């Protein structure tokens, strides 16, 4: 389905741009819209967060990313992309290509950003310098380095978590230490779960799984995606809270670019 074949309702588009986007699902436009409910609305479809006009890979990414952002970032980053998603529904082959693009981004862009922040520059360079993954056959050769990097990141994350916990307990006692630990976790979620965090496991990787058929979801693909996610999560744990912001901002921009590139595939 080509975007040019779908007539976007300009009046409805103006309504969406004025109202803006909100998180979660909604019963009707009057209740609010997330990114893909807005896409359905401007395409003249019934209210839904899985519009017929949009590729399911892009839909999965956009829903998760939409729900991970605060209102300001959601409308700054996602609102301009909605029109591009309309008309992206295509063949299974194009959907799988987009799914692989999302997984490639997770492995070669998202994960290295967190590894560098955690001080694991060599491991980050290893992933960033991998050849672009363009087919399922590209996942098997990278399984071993990904598993090794996952272990390195897990060790760094565990060490950082233990150090922070011990320091907090020494300063304020066990009860205060537990509260500080919980606060630190909440702060990390608030900082890192913007675009970057959810656009990984909950968006990029889940989009890849949703789009790829059972035959394409081979062991190598699963292992590569899981290893990259675990490494990124552990590396983010090892990073200081205030230092997360530049990485989040960088990955927000990268996620926007990924959506634009996925929309352009098969156009």
């Amino acid at each position: 389905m080509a975007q040019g074949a779908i007539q976007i309702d300009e009046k409805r588009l103006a309504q969406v741009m004025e109202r803006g986007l909100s998180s979660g699902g909604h019963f009707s436009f009057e209740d609010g819209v997330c990114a893909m409910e807005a896409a359905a609305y401007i395409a003249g479809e019934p209210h839904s967060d899985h519009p017929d006009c949009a590729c399911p890979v892009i839909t999965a990414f956009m829903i998760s990313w939409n729900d991970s952002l605060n209102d300001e970032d959601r409308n700054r980053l996602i609102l301009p992309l909605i029109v591009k998603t309309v008309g992206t529904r295509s063949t299974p082959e194009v959907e799988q290509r987009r799914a692989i693009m999302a997984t490639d981004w997770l492995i070669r862009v998202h994960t290295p950003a967190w590894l560098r922040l955690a001080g694991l520059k060599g491991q980050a360079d290893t992933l960033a310098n991998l050849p672009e993954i363009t087919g399922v056959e590209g996942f098997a050769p990278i399984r071993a380095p990904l598993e090794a990097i996952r272990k390195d990141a897990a060790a760094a994350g565990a060490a950082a978590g233990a150090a922070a916990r011990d320091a907090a307990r020494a300063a304020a006692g066990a009860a205060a230490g537990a509260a500080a630990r919980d606060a630190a976790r909440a702060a990390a979620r608030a900082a890192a779960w913007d675009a970057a965090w959810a656009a990984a496991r909950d968006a990029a990787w889940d989009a890849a799984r949703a789009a790829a058929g059972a035959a394409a979801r081979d062991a190598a693909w699963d292992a590569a995606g899981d290893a990259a996610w675990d490494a990124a999560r552990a590396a983010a744990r090892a990073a200081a809270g205030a230092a997360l912001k530049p990485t989040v901002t960088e990955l927000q921009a990268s996620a926007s670019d990924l959506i634009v590139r996925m929309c352009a595939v098969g156009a």
Side-chain angles (χ1 to χ4, degrees):
M1 182 183 292
Q3 184 169 324
I6 299 175
Q7 185 68 38
I8 291 176
D9 188 317
E10 296 294 337
K11 182 178 179 180
R12 288 188 169 196
L13 176 59
Q15 290 174 331
V16 169
M17 298 301 288
E18 181 179 1
R19 165 174 285 197
L21 305 175
S22 53
S23 64
H26 307 85
F27 289 109
S28 67
F29 181 79
E30 289 68 30
D31 294 328
V33 286
C34 70
M36 300 315 294
E37 289 170 341
Y41 186 70
I42 66 175
E45 293 188 20
H47 185 80
S48 172
D49 62 358
H50 285 75
D52 290 339
C53 64
C55 169
V57 177
I58 294 170
T59 294
F61 195 112
M62 292 285 279
I63 288 174
S64 184
W65 191 17
N66 178 92
D67 291 348
S68 74
L69 296 170
N70 59 45
D71 287 342
E72 180 182 354
D73 287 343
R74 182 182 301 111
N75 288 294
R76 175 175 59 86
L77 293 162
I78 296 183
L79 192 57
L81 298 173
I82 293 171
V83 171
K84 292 184 180 295
T85 70
V86 174
T88 56
R89 175 79 66 166
S90 189
T91 64
E93 291 76 18
V94 168
E95 291 173 8
Q96 180 169 307
R97 185 176 168 191
R98 289 169 174 153
I100 291 170
M101 289 172 66
T103 313
D104 175 74
W105 177 84
L106 166 63
I107 292 170
R108 297 194 307 118
V109 178
H110 175 274
T111 303
W114 291 114
L115 291 171
R116 289 191 186 94
L117 196 60
L120 301 174
K121 185 178 182 299
Q123 292 88 337
D125 290 343
T126 294
L127 293 188
N129 293 329
L130 288 171
E132 180 182 0
I133 302 166
T134 58
V136 293
E137 68 281 354
F139 293 106
I142 65 174
R143 179 173 180 175
L146 270 171
E147 288 292 343
I149 289 169
R150 169 160 57 179
K151 292 177 181 178
D152 291 344
R165 182 174 64 249
D166 292 345
R169 285 179 173 168
R181 182 178 68 246
D182 291 344
R185 284 176 177 170
R189 287 192 198 102
W193 202 265
D194 276 339
W197 217 224
R201 180 66 174 200
D202 290 343
W205 181 233
D206 283 352
R209 288 190 170 198
R217 263 188 256 148
D218 63 12
W221 190 343
D222 280 344
D226 288 342
W229 163 251
D230 288 346
R233 181 174 56 184
R237 284 201 194 104
L244 292 173
K245 185 59 177 177
T247 297
V248 170
T249 300
E250 171 192 340
L251 286 171
Q252 284 176 336
S254 178
S256 293
D257 177 68
L258 174 64
I259 290 292
V260 172
R261 290 189 291 111
M262 286 198 293
C263 288
V265 170

